[in-house]
């Protein structure tokens, strides 16, 4: 069967999945927990094969750490699924109940999106988290994980799929793709896939966005800024900047560009520069900053660059407005922070910066579903259509309008025989 | 200036528009009301030119009625704007306020989408409604109206724009395109336009969806169904079907296909057929229905067809499940109705039919923002991403996450020095 034919079967299963009760979906999640525990040795064995291959391929140590799936990670994902089971049902929630006229009641109720396609990095725990979020939200899911964990993915998918099936979910509620070549076929399945969530490098996400008619949720660039205001507490600023740059430099929410108010530049830059050097961060500065520190000079291109590395660009600005303009023009609308003790300036910055996350006095690295208390996330969206920022369960549901009538026709209202009497009941 | 350059200016104005207060936006709406009243004779004169041209061009009478803008329509749109002024501010609404840990508060607050492009049919009142909805929701707007009302549009836009500017809104908060050729340039402005709302024929909307990277909200087809259940009150069914087909046959929410439970077919069809004939509706039926009525026979193609005309196709089904399957497979996920007195069957139908509107015992023609009590609508969406169904103010906003910290860094949490303590404050 082609991917398209398989995707159609998933689509056909989606209304059944959408009608499943909270109890059924939680039962499926419990079955996953049980199955993961029972089959953990199979999982660890498959993961060992992946790790051995990665070592053979000369994959770097920090990446290998991400590929690894051990007792600790198993414990973490199981805790995550148990949290998810405890969360309020995202489906069948009445967002509105309105009487339109006597004998006619309109209800807006949440429902799943349908079929979600997720293309994600090589991380076995991601497969488990994404599947669980989709099941809890009543969505069918098509998964394509990174090829470096192909053995782990295959075993995990089979375990999860069997558990979900045994707990009564429809045959085609989940599908796993394995070959990279299958992605391009998936991109043509706009008739069957309601939403695509690509995770990975900028160029990969951009490629997906440019080559499909399926709505895409996610982000390509993560060019985050920190603006150090003239009323900043400079002792707070340094550790925040170091954390935002070094805590995980290749993350999308790491800071790339620093904007510093002219009035504090002379005092702040020496302090910052020595901290950056201590943490092996290379600074690229404007002419003034080069003059003050002796760092290398930045160019226009730095304004647009997501380094994903221990590099930081910095320039001075004359006002909060100039900082806002720079961020809105060069940024990627992901997460941007102001360091200031003046709460009015902070509110002003937060109002006019057009980003999914606008922060005061804390690290941009907090932009994450887990840290926001969403339990887990399927990704971070920089779009303003549908979900924005870290996306948890709520971003995986839509709603439908249910209208309960008693023989009502529009012509009566068009001719003025009857009038609407709107009355909210909840 | 090219359309792209003009669209960039609109984009640059969007953060200023986004920061405008409720008072400023309502003031702008009041200024529009005043200006429309003061300049009504100019508007009527321009509209007269359009109508004369339409008559010359041999435009059909019902269409001319739609082009017309007179005292009655002016009164209606002014009442609409006044309603809008009274509606709760859609911006700066806190959807969440959560303490993540001591000294760190996360707020989710609504904000405008940014720049909305709306391409709409020749109807002067539509221009006014769309502009007002965008202003109330703090969005910049790029308008392209139908060319049959080019004179009315030009005058109306100028009046609205001047009023909005005088009340303090930024210079480039609104833009009007006039030439049809400018649409293709607009479609390339994905860097500057956040959302496109095309209204019009299926083929036009489909063309837009296929030729832009800008997210599109709307619907191409409107293939709506009515299913007459075995427990239907047949006396309710006939007027509902007649209304859904004839009240405005070319509307997207008119019914196209009737599904009738086998058990009531013999009793129901003669009753229905005479009512259809009385209302000049042509029936295309399955073999059984042809046998019972002598109507013309339907083909597979009828299942996919939005007639936009006084034509209705009908076939028998053996169960509610067969009806649901037909609707999910052939429908356009717009609005579908069940006629039944059995509320359990209705709930079952509403749960498993995957459409923006699922109705019991009333006409599909109710699918409309005004009839849902939204004041007005910018369009009807069949997408499950972002807004679904009739879209009012709520569909024109996004949100941002504001995080208020006090020097917090992620490394403290990663190293276990601190733990999150999530606590919802609203």
């Amino acid at each position: 069967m082609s991917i398209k034919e398989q995707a159609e079967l998933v689509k056909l299963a989606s209304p059944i999945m959408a009608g499943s009760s909270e109890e059924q979906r939680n039962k499926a999640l419990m079955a996953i927990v049980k199955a993961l525990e029972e089959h953990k040795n199979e999982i660890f064995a498959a993961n060992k094969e992946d790790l051995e291959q990665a070592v053979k391929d000369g994959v770097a140590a920090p990446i290998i750490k991400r590929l690894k799936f051990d007792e600790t990670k198993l414990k973490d994902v199981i805790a995550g699924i148990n949290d998810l089971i405890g969360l309020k049902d995202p489906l069948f929630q009445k967002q509105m109940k309105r009487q339109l006229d006597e004998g006619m009641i309109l209800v807006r109720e949440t429902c799943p999106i349908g079929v979600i396609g997720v293309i994600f990095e090589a991380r076995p725990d991601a497969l488990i988290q994404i599947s669980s979020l989709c099941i809890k939200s009543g969505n069918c899911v098509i998964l394509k994980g990174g090829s470096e964990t192909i053995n782990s993915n295959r075993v995990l998918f089979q375990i999860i799929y069997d558990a979900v099936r045994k707990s009564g979910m429809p045959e085609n509620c989940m599908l796993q793709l394995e070959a990279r070549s299958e992605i391009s076929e998936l991109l043509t399945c706009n008739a069957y896939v309601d939403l695509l969530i690509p995770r990975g490098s900028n160029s990969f996400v951009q490629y997906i966005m440019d080559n499909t008619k399926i709505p895409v949720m996610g982000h390509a660039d993560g060019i985050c800024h920190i603006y150090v205001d003239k009323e900043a507490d400079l002792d707070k600023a340094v550790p925040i900047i170091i954390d935002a740059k070094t805590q995980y430099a290749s993350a999308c929410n790491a800071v790339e560009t620093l904007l510093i108010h002219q009035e504090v530049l002379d005092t702040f830059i020496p302090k910052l520069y020595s901290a950056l050097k201590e943490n092996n961060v290379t600074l690229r500065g404007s002419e003034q900053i080069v003059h003050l520190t002796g760092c290398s000079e930045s160019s226009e291109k730095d304004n647009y660059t997501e380094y994903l590395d221990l590099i930081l660009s910095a320039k001075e600005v004359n006002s909060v407005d100039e900082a806002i303009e720079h961020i809105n023009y060069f940024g990627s609308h992901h997460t941007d922070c102001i360091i200031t003790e003046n709460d009015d300036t902070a509110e002003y910055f937060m109002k006019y910066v057009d980003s999914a996350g606008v922060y005061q006095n804390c690290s941009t690295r907090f932009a994450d579903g887990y840290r926001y208390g969403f339990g887990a996330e399927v990704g971070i969206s920089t779009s303003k259509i549908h979900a924005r920022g870290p996306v948890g369960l709520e971003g995986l549901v839509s709603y439908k309008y249910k209208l309960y009538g008693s023989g009502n026709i529009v012509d009566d209202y068009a001719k003025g025989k009857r009038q609407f009497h709107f009355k909210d009941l909840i």
Side-chain angles (χ1 to χ4, degrees), chain A:
Chain A
M1 247 195 295
S2 71
I3 302 299
K4 216 168 202 165
E5 286 162 330
Q6 291 181 67
E8 185 177 6
L9 293 179
V10 177
K11 181 71 180 175
L12 290 172
S14 70
I16 306 166
M17 193 74 181
S20 62
S21 68
E22 181 184 13
E23 196 196 333
Q24 283 174 298
R25 283 174 280 117
N26 282 339
K27 219 179 90 188
L29 292 176
M30 288 184 245
I32 294 175
V33 168
K34 195 159 162 265
L36 288 174
E37 280 166 346
E38 281 173 7
H39 297 275
K40 66 178 183 181
N41 291 328
E42 278 166 62
I43 303 169
F44 298 152
N47 187 245
K48 205 171 151 233
E49 282 180 58
D50 289 328
L51 293 178
E52 283 168 2
Q53 188 60 45
V55 171
K56 259 190 226 159
D57 295 346
V59 172
I63 308 264
I64 290 198
K65 204 175 143 196
R66 226 175 54 179
L67 307 182
K68 195 172 178 179
F69 192 78
D70 54 12
E71 286 278 4
T72 317
K73 287 206 182 160
L74 178 68
K75 224 185 96 196
D76 283 352
V77 293
I78 285 178
I81 300 174
N82 284 325
D83 282 351
L84 210 53
I85 293 170
L87 285 184
K88 189 181 161 191
D89 192 9
L91 303 186
F92 314 128
Q93 298 297 323
K94 289 186 178 40
Q95 300 177 321
M96 171 197 278
K97 185 172 180 179
R98 176 177 293 166
Q99 185 172 299
L100 303 186
D101 186 13
E102 218 156 296
M104 201 167 20
I105 287 175
L106 181 70
V107 172
R108 188 167 99 175
E109 203 177 275
T110 57
C111 64
I113 287 178
V115 179
I116 316 272
V118 191
I119 308 171
F120 55 100
E121 67 280 17
R123 239 185 61 207
D125 42 335
L127 187 150
I128 306 171
Q129 281 162 355
I130 293 163
S131 309
S132 315
L133 281 165
C134 287
I135 290 163
K136 179 80 182 189
S137 56
N139 286 291
C140 292
V141 64
I142 300 179
L143 297 158
K144 167 68 182 79
S147 53
E148 299 87 345
T149 48
I150 191 164
N151 293 298
S152 319
N153 290 350
R154 193 175 292 157
V155 169
L156 281 171
F157 181 83
Q158 201 56 51
I159 292 168
I160 293 174
Y161 178 74
D162 289 345
V164 166
R165 277 292 284 149
K166 264 186 222 151
S167 70
M169 290 301 176
E171 188 179 348
N172 297 296
C173 66
M174 297 180 73
L175 174 66
Q176 167 151 264
L177 309 183
E178 295 202 336
R180 201 172 163 82
S181 61
E182 292 171 336
I183 294 177
S184 49
E185 215 185 323
L186 177 65
L187 297 185
T188 66
C189 295
N190 47 305
Y192 311 123
V193 179
D194 295 290
L195 180 66
L196 261 189
I197 307 177
R199 318 201 317 184
S201 70
N202 312 2
S203 57
F204 173 70
V205 174
Q206 198 57 57
Y207 168 80
I208 300 284
M209 289 176 169
D210 290 348
N211 287 283
T212 186
K213 286 185 199 164
I214 305 171
V216 175
M217 182 161 75
H219 64 275
D221 293 329
I223 303 176
C224 302
H225 299 76
I226 294 180
Y227 162 59
V228 181
D229 186 45
K230 64 178 174 185
E231 291 171 87
D233 176 344
L234 301 181
D235 291 333
K236 271 183 200 159
V238 175
I240 288 174
I241 293 165
I242 295 299
D243 187 80
K245 183 73 255 181
T246 68
Q247 208 271 328
Y248 188 7
S250 62
C252 59
N253 53 15
V255 68
E256 311 295 346
T257 301
L258 214 58
L259 302 167
I260 305 166
H261 196 287
Q262 183 69 57
E263 281 183 31
V264 294
L265 192 67
D266 291 1
T267 343
F268 182 57
I269 269 290
K271 207 182 278 222
L272 174 73
Y273 193 55
S274 63
L276 289 175
K277 278 195 293 189
E278 261 171 53
N279 286 278
N280 303 312
V281 178
T282 305
L283 185 67
R284 294 189 189 167
S286 62
E287 218 182 298
Q288 266 198 65
I289 292 174
V290 171
H291 183 74
L292 286 166
T293 61
C295 71
S296 64
E297 194 169 342
S298 59
S299 70
E300 171 83 4
K301 201 180 154 226
D302 287 285
N303 292 328
Y304 292 107
T305 305
E306 184 179 11
Y307 302 112
L308 301 167
D309 203 351
L310 293 176
I311 306 170
L312 183 68
S313 75
K315 63 176 263 195
E316 66 286 350
V317 291
N318 288 303
S319 64
V320 63
D321 282 306
E322 200 184 324
I324 292 167
E325 256 174 55
H326 179 103
I327 293 169
N328 284 339
Y329 192 81
F330 293 108
S332 58
H333 311 287
H334 190 298
T335 303
D336 300 290
C337 177
I338 181 173
I339 315 276
T340 188
E341 295 302 301
N342 184 324
D343 292 344
D344 290 338
T345 311
E347 278 304 333
Y348 186 84
F349 176 91
M350 287 170 143
K351 186 184 251 182
Y352 289 103
V353 167
D354 181 21
S355 296
V358 281
Y359 288 12
Q360 179 190 13
N361 295 337
C362 53
S363 169
T364 53
R365 290 272 300 124
F366 282 104
D368 171 279
Y370 169 70
R371 291 175 199 135
Y372 279 11
F374 298 170
E377 66 176 35
V378 284
I380 292 184
S381 165
T382 53
S383 165
K384 285 193 277 184
I385 306 307
H386 198 65
R388 194 183 195 196
V391 180
L393 282 177
E394 223 184 321
L396 296 177
V397 301
S398 178
Y399 51 75
K400 52 169 78 166
Y401 287 99
K402 299 163 87 171
L403 182 57
Y404 299 89
S406 49
N408 320 63
I409 62 172
V410 165
D411 206 44
D412 285 346
Y413 296 86
K415 292 220 174 94
K417 278 197 230 167
R418 294 197 66 91
Q419 270 83 39
F420 288 102
H421 293 93
F422 301 120
K423 188 179 160 192
D424 285 323
L425 305 177
I426 54 167

